[in-house]
Amino acid sequence: MKRISFSILLLTVLLQGAQAAVDENFYIFLCFGQSNMEGAARPEAEDIKSPGPRFLLMPAVDDPQRGRKMGQWCEASAPLCRPNTGLTPADWFGRSMIETLPPHIRVGVIHVAIGGIRIEGFMPDRIAEYVKTAPGWMKGMLEAYGNNPYERLVTLARKAQQDGVIKGVLMHQGESNTGDPEWADKVQQVYDRLLGDLQLKPEEVPLLAGEVVQAGGEGQCIAMNRQIDELPKTLHTAQVVSSTGCTNLPDKLHFDAAGYRELGRRYGEKMLSLLGYQVRSPFTVPADARTAETTIPGNDFPKVDSERRAYFRVNAPDAHRVQVDICGKKYDMRRDEHGVWCAVTDPLQVGFHYYFLNIGGMNAVDPATETFFGCNRQAGGIEIAEGPEGDYYRPHPDVPQGQVRSLYYYAQSTREWRHAMVYTPACYEQGKHRYPVLYLQHGMGEDETGWSRQGRMQHIMDNLIAQRKAVPMIVVMESGDVKAPPRPGDHRQGFSTYGASFYQVMHHDLIPTIDRKFRTLKDRDHRAMAGLSWGGHQTFDMVLRHPELFSYMGTFSGAIFGLDVKTAYDGIFTRPDDFNRQIHYLFMSCGSEELPRFQTDKTAETLRQAGIRVDLQISEGTDHEWLTWRRGLSQFVPHLFRK
């Protein structure tokens, strides 16, 4: 009696141990069908790279090339079906699932599919006869599954149930049964048998059936979509996944890679909604989204919602892939049935962002947004609005507005016509008063319009002057000869020649032109220079080589690298008394998120140790970006021309 009780106790412990091994947060999905589930499009780089250990595959066949063993979980990446197959909807189903599901939830798929197979090939009572009559080209595929694809799917599913919980069935099949009036009944037989063999409840394990290729109404088997759409009338737990707008290969039978990605995402969104998760779709824009202030009037998009997510739309019906590239982070856009591509971003930082639309591998400017020169070319831009803290760079109706003028002038030193932007304060139009001048430079890859367009310089100046925090002054912005990227040879012998052609222009042409065309105070005590990034480098080079021209200087995220205080600029930093007498104010700033890359804090500390007076400001929470430089300008200007 005691021996029997011990046996019962041991069995109970073993059963409890087995149950404990099942991870309720491991969601498993069974995928079956014919060629479009098998995958007919060649996987691309983004499909081959694994998304990580949260998306797993239990291979249904061995794949020695990738080190995969049948029945053993591995990270999921294309191809999921068999060696030498292609991209399938299951690939981006899994990827979209883990994007939305909480981080502690994993997703696993078991994938059995055979190109051209009829639904009868998954019916246990018909498979033997089906194998006998299968065409020759299909026999090798059937043999890969032991001539019984249904049995292979069930066998692996039972094994997977030891690890996780089966949450759904994904099917893409029907092309080979087009016109078969009994197709829906046969699908239900397969589904019911599958649930019975795995002891699953239909209300807990829905079947998702995808539509076939539409090809704008010219799909080879498009008539089958009516039967697929009516499947829920027969199988009440079935859900239909639309293929409308999913792009296809020239055969009008199979999806292309972009089409599989989109269809897979739709499978994922459908399943996520059934699991009770709120899906963020680029096609659904929340009511609180507002058109971005950088959008060209008359366009609705880009928009920005209350969470600072940006929504983009572009009409490109013939494109096969479109992305939004925001400062190097790429978001895949999704195509609707009308050929309109849509995307939604992660929450973006407040401030100004350059962006491009990548269409077929080429970066283009969004036709719905204002353009800004940046990244060495015309670029799109989107402003993510700050709250009231950004009022210092916004225009206000009660503040007198200055002007930003476009000035073309001839530079004798380089024998060329050049362009500059010149800000004059609101009071410039009144009387004959003369004004001090700030020469303000942009950074690498930008141009003379940057400070007035991306930087909002004129509004910053207007507001500071109106509040009597800054004296009225003229601000001059030139191209700086750094619109194009550096070339080989621009850096040599410890001195950078990048943008150095600007120095003689500034000395011999720009300053004399400004003094001739505008009412300026022409002495060094009323002349300042500042710049962002490489413009900060130019400021150091220009001011410290020509102290007879300037008495104020500033850098915002200045590209001041490897400064040797003992030798730089003829050793001027070794004579701190002379420096501090000549330079009335030296300002340096950067964003907290760009440290230590730009080492502004270390450079400032090195200068201080050498006895140089320098004012250092750190913009909290910002990087190498226009918000950092707007803040820097607003902190720098109040110190100018007070001596």
Side-chain angles (χ1 to χ4, degrees):
M1 187 71 179
K2 290 181 180 179
R3 188 173 300 170
I4 294 174
S5 299
F6 177 77
S7 299
I8 293 173
L9 177 62
L10 179 60
L11 179 61
T12 301
V13 171
L14 290 173
L15 288 173
Q16 289 176 343
Q19 292 173 352
V22 175
D23 183 358
E24 298 292 330
N25 292 317
F26 185 20
Y27 294 176
I28 298 167
F29 300 90
L30 311 181
C31 309
F32 77 96
Q34 57 183 105
S35 58
N36 272 313
M37 181 59 80
E38 181 185 69
R42 182 187 298 275
E44 298 174 355
E46 63 184 304
D47 311 309
I48 296 171
K49 183 179 179 181
S50 165
R54 288 186 58 212
F55 180 30
L56 302 178
L57 167 71
M58 179 179 281
V61 298
D62 290 340
D63 187 346
Q65 179 183 349
R66 296 173 179 82
R68 296 174 177 176
K69 295 287 293 182
M70 180 179 69
Q72 295 182 8
W73 291 111
C74 62
E75 290 189 7
S77 60
L80 298 183
C81 189
R82 300 186 310 278
N84 304 317
T85 55
L87 188 65
T88 90
D91 280 287
W92 285 81
F93 163 79
R95 291 171 187 263
S96 65
M97 291 287 287
I98 62 174
E99 284 178 1
T100 300
L101 289 170
H104 65 279
I105 296 180
R106 297 178 298 156
V107 170
V109 294
I110 301 172
H111 197 283
V112 175
I114 295 175
I117 195 170
R118 293 174 61 87
I119 192 63
E120 290 84 352
F122 291 97
M123 301 177 73
D125 57 343
R126 298 198 185 187
I127 186 61
E129 184 63 27
Y130 191 86
V131 170
K132 292 179 183 179
T133 59
W137 54 265
M138 189 185 292
K139 291 188 179 296
M141 293 184 267
L142 287 165
E143 289 173 1
Y145 299 116
N147 286 322
N148 195 331
Y150 174 85
E151 184 60 32
R152 179 66 56 86
L153 184 64
V154 169
T155 299
L156 295 178
R158 285 174 175 152
K159 184 176 183 180
Q161 284 180 306
Q162 300 173 25
D163 303 315
V165 181
I166 295 175
K167 290 286 189 177
V169 179
L170 278 59
M171 181 187 75
H172 199 283
Q173 196 282 330
E175 292 95 336
S176 296
N177 287 82
T178 301
D180 179 358
E182 298 179 354
W183 177 79
D185 292 327
K186 294 172 183 176
V187 171
Q188 180 161 24
Q189 291 178 48
V190 174
Y191 175 73
D192 289 345
R193 178 68 179 267
L194 195 60
L195 296 189
D197 287 344
L198 298 174
Q199 300 181 28
L200 300 171
K201 298 177 181 179
E203 62 271 18
E204 295 178 354
V205 185
L207 180 137
L208 274 58
E211 290 182 336
V212 302
V213 166
Q214 297 191 27
E218 298 180 358
Q220 293 284 350
C221 300
I222 194 171
M224 186 62 193
N225 279 341
R226 182 171 182 178
Q227 292 177 263
I228 295 172
D229 293 344
E230 293 180 351
L231 180 61
K233 295 180 180 178
T234 301
L235 205 167
H236 301 303
T237 58
Q239 299 282 331
V240 176
V241 178
S242 171
S243 68
T244 302
C246 293
T247 51
N248 53 272
L249 294 173
D251 63 8
K252 299 181 181 179
L253 181 63
H254 299 101
F255 299 100
D256 60 13
Y260 282 120
R261 293 187 195 102
E262 177 58 29
L263 188 63
R265 291 187 184 102
R266 294 180 186 182
Y267 270 99
E269 289 176 355
K270 181 72 72 173
M271 183 57 68
L272 286 165
S273 66
L274 295 174
L275 292 172
Y277 290 92
Q278 182 178 2
V279 180
R280 186 178 296 277
S281 169
F283 304 115
T284 304
V285 181
D288 64 8
R290 298 290 180 266
T291 302
E293 59 187 88
T294 39
T295 301
I296 294 175
N299 294 279
D300 293 329
F301 291 85
K303 287 187 174 184
V304 182
D305 68 16
S306 59
E307 296 180 356
R308 305 195 309 275
R309 297 178 188 269
Y311 298 79
F312 298 90
R313 291 190 178 177
V314 62
N315 185 24
D318 295 330
H320 285 261
R321 187 181 185 193
V322 183
Q323 293 178 307
V324 177
D325 183 345
I326 303 181
C327 299
K329 182 166 185 178
K330 296 180 174 64
Y331 297 88
D332 285 327
M333 301 192 79
R334 295 177 55 186
R335 185 184 189 276
D336 70 9
E337 63 271 26
H338 304 296
V340 176
W341 294 78
C342 307
V344 57
T345 70
D346 298 329
L348 299 173
Q349 292 293 326
V350 294
F352 179 87
H353 301 261
Y354 293 114
Y355 79 93
F356 296 95
L357 298 180
N358 189 287
I359 303 177
M362 184 189 76
N363 276 346
V365 177
D366 184 349
T369 194
E370 299 284 357
T371 57
F372 306 83
F373 195 90
C375 310
N376 308 113
R377 56 167 293 181
Q378 290 293 337
I382 185 168
E383 183 80 24
I384 307 300
E386 281 194 284
E389 68 274 16
D391 284 348
Y392 71 94
Y393 59 77
R394 297 187 177 108
H396 299 281
D398 56 340
V399 171
Q401 304 297 306
Q403 297 183 24
V404 178
R405 309 170 186 227
S406 176
L407 171 67
Y408 286 91
Y409 70 100
Y410 188 75
Q412 190 66 43
S413 61
T414 55
R415 298 180 182 276
E416 63 181 350
W417 284 95
R418 297 180 66 98
H419 183 238
M421 306 298 292
V422 182
Y423 165 84
T424 55
C427 56
Y428 185 85
E429 305 307 315
Q430 304 167 6
K432 297 182 179 181
H433 186 73
R434 292 187 174 272
Y435 295 87
V437 184
L438 165 63
Y439 289 85
L440 185 62
Q441 291 305 116
H442 58 85
M444 182 186 299
E446 292 160 335
D447 74 356
E448 63 273 20
T449 65
W451 269 109
S452 56
R453 302 210 63 220
Q454 297 96 294
R456 312 290 183 88
M457 173 279 311
Q458 64 275 32
H459 306 314
I460 295 173
M461 297 300 302
D462 290 338
N463 293 331
L464 289 173
I465 293 170
Q467 296 166 13
R468 299 184 182 276
K469 292 181 179 179
V471 302
M473 68 187 75
I474 295 169
V475 182
V476 180
M477 297 148 283
E478 228 269 23
S479 74
D481 295 342
V482 292
K483 295 168 69 171
R487 298 171 297 180
D490 279 346
H491 301 276
R492 57 179 181 270
Q493 297 180 351
F495 173 71
S496 175
T497 60
Y498 179 60
S501 56
F502 173 62
Y503 302 147
Q504 63 174 331
V505 171
M506 187 172 189
H507 188 186
H508 299 293
D509 300 286
L510 179 60
I511 292 176
T513 297
I514 296 300
D515 285 343
R516 185 173 65 253
K517 290 183 175 291
F518 294 86
R519 300 194 309 274
T520 65
L521 293 167
K522 302 178 182 181
D523 59 288
R524 66 179 302 276
D525 286 335
H526 294 93
R527 196 178 291 129
M529 185 174 179
L532 69 89
S533 194
W534 200 259
H537 181 101
Q538 291 181 314
T539 296
F540 261 56
D541 280 358
M542 189 68 195
V543 173
L544 298 180
R545 286 193 172 93
H546 294 282
E548 76 280 3
L549 296 178
F550 304 92
S551 60
Y552 297 85
M553 60 187 293
T555 69
F556 320 116
S557 308
I560 314 298
F561 304 117
L563 184 70
D564 186 342
V565 296
K566 295 181 180 179
T567 61
Y569 305 108
D570 297 324
I572 192 171
F573 298 123
T574 64
R575 305 185 300 274
D577 291 342
D578 290 344
F579 181 94
N580 293 332
R581 183 174 60 256
Q582 291 179 337
I583 303 301
H584 302 326
Y585 182 65
L586 169 58
F587 175 87
M588 301 182 75
S589 70
C590 68
S592 62
E593 302 308 300
E594 59 183 331
L595 295 174
R597 284 176 294 148
F598 274 72
Q599 302 180 352
T600 301
D601 55 342
K602 293 182 179 179
T603 301
E605 182 57 30
T606 299
L607 291 173
R608 284 171 175 167
Q609 290 176 1
I612 304 299
R613 290 197 299 264
V614 54
D615 186 1
L616 172 67
Q617 297 289 335
I618 304 297
S619 170
E620 289 300 326
T622 61
D623 209 313
H624 201 68
E625 57 181 292
W626 278 104
L627 189 52
T628 297
W629 307 326
R630 292 173 187 172
R631 291 177 179 176
L633 181 65
S634 70
Q635 294 166 333
F636 172 62
V637 168
H639 296 274
L640 298 182
F641 313 122
R642 297 289 191 180
K643 192 174 180 66

